[in-house]
Amino acid sequence: MKRLVLLSLALFTAFCFLVATDRNAWGYVDPGTGLLALQGVASALATCGFFFRRKIKSLFLEKEPGKETLPEVADTKKSANAV
């Protein structure tokens, strides 16, 4: 617990130093940067869709009205071991 408090305090102190020592950044953002970010978001969504495809598919499929989700019980009249 003590380590967690010390780590949190160190991270907070480092963040404060970064915010306090703000400098002007004279940078250039390439026009393709937005497209690269969009591609990253699209690939992350595609990955999530791939991993959760069964759950997504079950949302769009309708269940048949006569089909129950409970397991079928064996008919004792047709069973050879019925009493």
Side-chain angles (χ1 to χ4, degrees):
M1 183 69 173
K2 189 176 181 179
R3 289 176 117 181
L4 180 64
V5 171
L6 288 175
L7 180 65
S8 300
L9 184 62
L11 288 174
F12 179 71
T13 305
F15 177 75
C16 288
F17 280 129
L18 286 173
V19 171
T21 58
D22 186 27
R23 290 186 276 165
N24 291 334
W26 302 102
Y28 171 74
V29 178
D30 189 28
T33 305
L35 187 60
L36 184 64
L38 182 64
Q39 181 182 358
V41 170
S43 64
L45 289 175
T47 303
C48 289
F50 178 76
F51 281 112
F52 297 115
R53 65 185 179 264
R54 289 188 183 135
K55 290 185 180 183
I56 293 171
K57 188 177 180 181
S58 69
L59 291 174
F60 294 107
L61 292 179
E62 292 183 22
K63 293 183 180 179
E64 294 177 14
K67 206 173 202 182
E68 294 182 10
T69 57
L70 298 175
E72 293 183 21
V73 179
D75 189 13
T76 56
K77 294 178 184 175
K78 295 180 182 177
S79 175
N81 296 329
V83 179

